[in-house]
Every structure is written in structure tokens, then in C-alpha cells.
């Protein structure tokens, strides 16, 4: 499907709106993730046991994932009933306001345990917003583009996480470099969260200027909107939902390991600093900005499922290479290891949006994709940092972490086997009349 009346400007606007919106929302999410791994433990969950503080902070990290299904159920349904654009404005505002409020939140030292309660509530709101964001952002760009190039156009939303992660890590790294440790821990970290106000304003400006997608307009014109998309997905597209959920599990765990937990690991089990870990993650994220659309485009030329299968196998193997690499405390080895891990993740995440969305029929695509994205997060991404921490503490070896990631790779391989290839006839039938 081409853009209406050959209007490639609309296609490019949709790509920019999808990328910028998800990047800004993932900036919010990534800022929290980095803070949870580094400073939130002693600010909101003080304890004489550093491990206990870190695990408590990672528990709030998991809350963001656990809240995603609510966003997926709520906004996914509305996206198939009301349209893509309107819902994406709502999700952006929700996530941005929650992040800004974290920046002004009193810590445990000021209001005691109530600080942790408020932090969890705001993290929950972040998760709800992100849960409704992804499915719509993917459709925003892919439904303006040619179905034969869905891998590339849908990758716009996939570039958002590394872009947001790079921006968040960069802001926190600069603040940590310019401020003393006491200043950073006292008030410097707040700046990263307060910046979200300006960033979300920019994202809203882009999205409010965009039209509804041609595919949703066609669904409206044909009177094919579902009145109960959630129940219809569970009733008629169960296999698609199971496949799409399992497809996402290993990439989520892989990303949590090499962008979140790795910051804890390098500071506790190597001679490297938190700054070294942040720098390595930033380098890897920078590579992903280029690799996401490249792998998405490649998946339009080769079998998307086969490409995903090989990348999943590589993901399951990589921890057994990475941890011995960094045992000597070399920053070069750390950077190479994280970069290659995120290259593998890009090979999965770049084509993932197209692979997930094409499992569902167009009239149920926002709901199905959102449910798959959020339910997979509960299984994979939500408990990952907490489980990594517990496994390392319990077994005192990285081998337990490697075995965990390998198990998730097996789960995702099952999802790839269950998944279907793109339905070209279905895509052609949804091409708008011009």
C-alpha cells in the first residue's frame, strides 16, 4: 500500500511521528531504568544491605512492565475503535506527566516510606502509557507504507527504544560527570526526569499535525470496525496472540540484561565503574539507531521468520561469550561485548514490529499487537533484572544468568515456529481506493 494519492510527505510524517513519540516515551522509561540500577535503591529503599536495596528498586522497574497489559487492553481496544492517532496522543501525555512528576518526588529521607508508594504509582502510570504506545506507533508508520516494505516502515517505532535509551543515558552520564556524587544523588538525577516535559511537548506537536492512517480510514469506510476487539482476538486469533507473545520474550530479556542489569554487574563484579557501563551502553545504542531500520529492511527481502530464528539462537549463546570477555575488567572488552549484544538485539527488534503486527488481521491489529507486546513484557522484561540479581546472588556465577537467557531463547523459537508469514492478499485488500 502506498500513501494516499502518492503523498510520501504523509508517509515521512508518520515515520517521524512514530519514531519521535516512542523515542521520547522510551527516554522516560530508560531514565527510570538507569536510575533504578544505580541510585534509586538508597534514595527510596534505604537498607544496610546493598543487594536488598537494588532488588527493591528493580521491583519498581518490574511494576512498569506489569502495568503494560492494562495499557494494552485499554488503549489497544480504543485504537481499533477510535483510531491510531487519537490514542497515541493520550499515551504520550500519560507517560510524560508521570515522568515529570518523578522528577519532583520527595525521597525516603523527606517523607519516609510514602516516597516509595508514590514512586511505584508513577512507575505504574508510565507502564500503562507505554503499554498503549507501541502497537499504535508501529501501525502509524506501517499503515502509511507499502506492505511489501513493512519491515522497514514499522521499524520506526523500534528505533525509539535505543534512541530514548541513548538520550537518557547521555543526560545521566553528563550530569554524573559535571556534578559531584553528592550533588548528583541529592538533586542532579531529577534534571533528567524534568526534561521530559519539553520533550513530550515536542512529540505532541508532531503527532497532532498527523492524519489518521489510510488503513484505519478504509476500515471505517467499510464498516469493519470491531465493537469488542479484545474478546474477538482471544476468540478468533489465539494462535496469533500466543506466537506474537512468545516472539517478544527473548528480546525483552536480552535488552534488560545488556542495558539495565549490566550496569549493576560491572560495578559489583568487575573493577569497572558505573560510568564505564553507561558509556558502553550508549555506544551500543548508537549502533542500534542505524541497525534497526537496516535489519527491518533486510527482513523485507529475506524470510522474516528465518532471520528472527537465527538471531534468537545467537542471543541464547551470547552470554556465554560476553561474561568471560569482561571478567578481566577491560573497558574495551565491555564495550565490544555490549555492542555485539545490541547488534543481536537489533536483528531481532528491527523486524519484530512487522512480524508481530502481521500475525493479526488489520481490523484487530492495534489490540492484538498491544496485547502481545504487553503480555510478553510481563513474562520477559518485567522480572528479568530482579531474576538476574537473585540468580547471581543465589548461585554466585554468571552461568545461571546465561542459562536463564538461553531458556527464554527456546521460548521465542517456539513462537517463531507458531508464527505465520505475511498475508500479501490481505494487505492488498486493505489498500485504499484512490
Amino acid at each position: 500500500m502506498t500513501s494516499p494519492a502518492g503523498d510520501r510527505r504523509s508517509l515521512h510524517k508518520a515515520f517521524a511521528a512514530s519514531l519521535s513519540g516512542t523515542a521520547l516515551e522510551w527516554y522516560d522509561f530508560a531514565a527510570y531504568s538507569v536510575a533504578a540500577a544505580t541510585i534509586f535503591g538508597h534514595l527510596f529503599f534505604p537498607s544496610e544491605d546493598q543487594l536488598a536495596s537494588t532488588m527493591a528498586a528493580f521491583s519498581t522497574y518490574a511494576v512498569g512492565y506489569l502495568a503494560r497489559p492494562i495499557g494494552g487492553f485499554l488503549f489497544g481496544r480504543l485504537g481499533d475503535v477510535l483510531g491510531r492517532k487519537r490514542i497515541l496522543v493520550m499515551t504520550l501525555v500519560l507517560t510524560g506527566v508521570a515522568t515529570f512528576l518523578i522528577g519532583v518526588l520527595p525521597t525516603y529521607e523527606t517523607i519516609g516510606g510514602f516516597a516509595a508508594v508514590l514512586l511505584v504509582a508513577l512507575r505504574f502510570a508510565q507502564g500503562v502509557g507505554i503499554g498503549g504506545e507501541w502497537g499504535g506507533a508501529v501501525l502509524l508508520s506501517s499503515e502509511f507504507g507499502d506492505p511489501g516494505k513493512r519491515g522497514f516502515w514499522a521499524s520506526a517505532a523500534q528505533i525509539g527504544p535505543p534512541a530514548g535509551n541513548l538520550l537518557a543515558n547521555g543526560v545521566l552520564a553528563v550530569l554524573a560527570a559535571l556534578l559531584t556524587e553528592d550533588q548528583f544523588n541529592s538533586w542532579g538525577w531529577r534534571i533528567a526526569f524534568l526534561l521530559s516535559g519539553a520533550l513530550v511537548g515536542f512529540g505532541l506537536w508532531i503527532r497532532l499535525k498527523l492524519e489518521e492512517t489510510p488503513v484505519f480510514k478504509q476500515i471505517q469506510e467499510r464498516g469493519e470496525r470491531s465493537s469488542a476487539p479484545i474478546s474477538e482476538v482471544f476468540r478468533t486469533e489465539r494462535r496469533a496472540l500466543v506466537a506474537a507473545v512468545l516472539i517478544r520474550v527473548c528480546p525483552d530479556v536480552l535488552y534488560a540484561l545488556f542495558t539495565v542489569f549490566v550496569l549493576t554487574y560491572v560495578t559489583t563484579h568487575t573493577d569497572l565503574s558505573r560510568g564505564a557501563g553507561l558509556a558502553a551502553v550508549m555506544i551500543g545504542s548508537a549502533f542500534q539507531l542505524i541497525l534497526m531500520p537496516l535489519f527491518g529492511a533486510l527482513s523485507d527481502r529475506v524470510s522474516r521468520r528465518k532471520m528472527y530464528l537465527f538471531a534468537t539462537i545467537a542471543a541464547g549463546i551470547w552470554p556465554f561469550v560476553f561474561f568471560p570477555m569482561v571478567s578481566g575488567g577491560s573497558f574495551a572488552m565491555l564495550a565490544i561485548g555490549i555492542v555485539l549484544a545490541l547488534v543481536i538485539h537489533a536483528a531481532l527488534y528491527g523486524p519484530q514490529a512487522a512480524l508481530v503486527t502481521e500475525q493479526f488481521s488489520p481490523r484487530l491489529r492495534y489490540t492484538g499487537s498491544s496485547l502481545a507486546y504487553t503480555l510478553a513484557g510481563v513474562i520477559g522484561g518485567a522480572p528479568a533484572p530482579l531474576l538476574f540479581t537473585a540468580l547471581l546472588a543465589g548461585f554466585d556465577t554468571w552461568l545461571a544468568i546465561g542459562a536463564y537467557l538461553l531458556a527464554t531463547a527456546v521460548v521465542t523459537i517456539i513462537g517463531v515456529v507458531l508464527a505465520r508469514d505475511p498475508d500479501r492478499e490481505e494487505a492488498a485488500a486493505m489498500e485504499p481506493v484512490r
Side-chain angles (χ1 to χ4, degrees):
M1 178 186 63
T2 55
S3 54
D7 184 8
R8 293 190 63 82
R9 181 180 299 177
S10 295
L11 177 57
H12 295 153
K13 283 182 179 179
F15 190 90
S18 178
L19 191 161
S20 61
T22 52
L24 296 178
E25 292 202 358
W26 273 92
Y27 166 86
D28 298 345
F29 213 72
Y32 188 100
S33 300
V34 174
T38 55
I39 61 173
F40 274 2
H42 70 267
L43 288 178
F44 291 94
F45 308 94
S47 170
E48 294 181 0
D49 186 340
Q50 182 180 354
L51 176 62
S53 292
T54 301
M55 291 187 70
F58 278 151
S59 296
T60 64
Y61 173 87
V63 166
Y65 279 93
L66 295 174
R68 288 184 185 186
I70 296 176
F73 275 83
L74 173 62
F75 293 117
R77 177 188 180 280
L78 292 175
D80 279 327
V81 174
L82 301 179
R84 311 343 186 180
K85 172 187 171 179
R86 196 181 308 178
I87 303 307
L88 287 171
V89 170
M90 296 180 188
T91 60
L92 189 62
V93 171
L94 177 59
T95 309
V97 169
T99 306
F100 183 86
L101 291 177
I102 290 175
V104 298
L105 192 64
T107 64
Y108 181 91
E109 185 179 7
T110 305
I111 60 173
F114 191 56
V117 174
L118 292 176
L119 181 65
V120 170
L122 293 173
R123 177 63 170 175
F124 185 88
Q126 271 190 329
V128 171
I130 291 288
E133 165 70 19
W134 186 82
V138 168
L139 298 184
L140 194 63
S141 55
S142 65
E143 289 186 348
F144 272 98
D146 179 354
K149 299 179 180 179
R150 182 179 289 142
F152 172 73
W153 292 114
S155 71
Q158 307 301 83
I159 304 171
N165 191 48
L166 181 63
L167 184 58
N169 277 284
V171 169
L172 288 167
V174 169
L175 290 172
L178 294 178
L179 303 174
T180 66
E181 185 172 355
D182 287 342
Q183 289 174 328
F184 181 80
N185 290 342
S186 176
W187 54 267
W189 62 271
R190 296 181 182 277
I191 297 175
F193 291 89
L194 295 176
L195 282 175
S196 68
L199 297 175
V200 170
F202 175 74
L204 283 174
W205 175 70
I206 294 178
R207 287 190 173 179
L208 287 171
K209 295 175 64 177
L210 193 67
E211 295 181 0
E212 186 53 79
T213 73
V215 169
F216 186 76
K217 287 181 179 179
Q218 190 75 349
I219 291 171
Q220 283 182 304
E221 291 170 6
R222 295 177 177 179
E224 295 178 350
R225 284 186 296 176
S226 173
S227 59
I230 294 176
S231 62
E232 194 170 344
V233 167
F234 281 105
R235 187 176 68 253
T236 65
E237 302 196 2
R238 286 190 296 270
R239 175 170 176 159
L241 181 60
V242 171
V245 168
L246 299 184
I247 281 168
R248 284 191 42 81
V249 172
C250 179
D252 271 10
V253 175
L254 179 71
Y255 196 70
L257 175 57
F258 288 103
T259 63
V260 180
F261 179 76
V262 71
L263 301 177
T264 298
Y265 183 85
V266 298
T267 56
T268 57
H269 286 73
T270 74
D271 295 330
L272 295 166
S273 67
R274 178 180 64 188
L278 286 170
V281 170
M282 288 173 63
I283 294 170
S285 296
F287 275 96
Q288 285 196 309
L289 293 178
I290 301 170
L291 292 173
M292 291 289 188
L294 287 180
F295 281 121
L298 179 62
S299 75
D300 290 322
R301 298 177 177 273
V302 301
S303 169
R304 211 170 340 259
R305 291 170 66 214
K306 288 182 180 178
M307 179 177 167
Y308 209 89
L309 177 64
F310 288 126
T312 302
I313 293 171
I317 294 172
W318 188 245
F320 299 94
V321 179
F322 172 79
F323 286 105
M325 283 178 61
V326 301
S327 61
S330 165
F331 173 74
M333 290 294 99
L334 175 67
I336 292 171
I338 289 179
V339 166
L340 292 178
L342 294 183
V343 168
I344 296 170
H345 181 262
L348 289 163
Y349 207 65
Q352 184 187 95
L355 184 60
V356 168
T357 57
E358 64 199 10
Q359 301 306 307
F360 304 96
S361 57
R363 59 191 294 274
L364 300 172
R365 194 161 278 162
Y366 200 141
T367 299
S369 300
S370 296
L371 291 177
Y373 176 78
T374 56
L375 293 174
V378 172
I379 299 170
L386 190 61
L387 286 175
F388 290 144
T389 306
L391 287 170
L392 189 60
F395 293 93
D396 196 28
T397 173
W398 59 265
L399 287 170
I401 295 173
Y404 172 42
L405 184 56
L406 182 59
T408 67
V410 173
V411 169
T412 289
I413 289 171
I414 294 172
V416 175
V417 172
L418 291 173
R420 70 167 184 165
D421 289 315
D423 187 336
R424 302 298 184 189
E425 293 183 2
E426 176 187 80
M430 291 309 300
E431 183 171 354
V433 178
R434 294 188 292 276

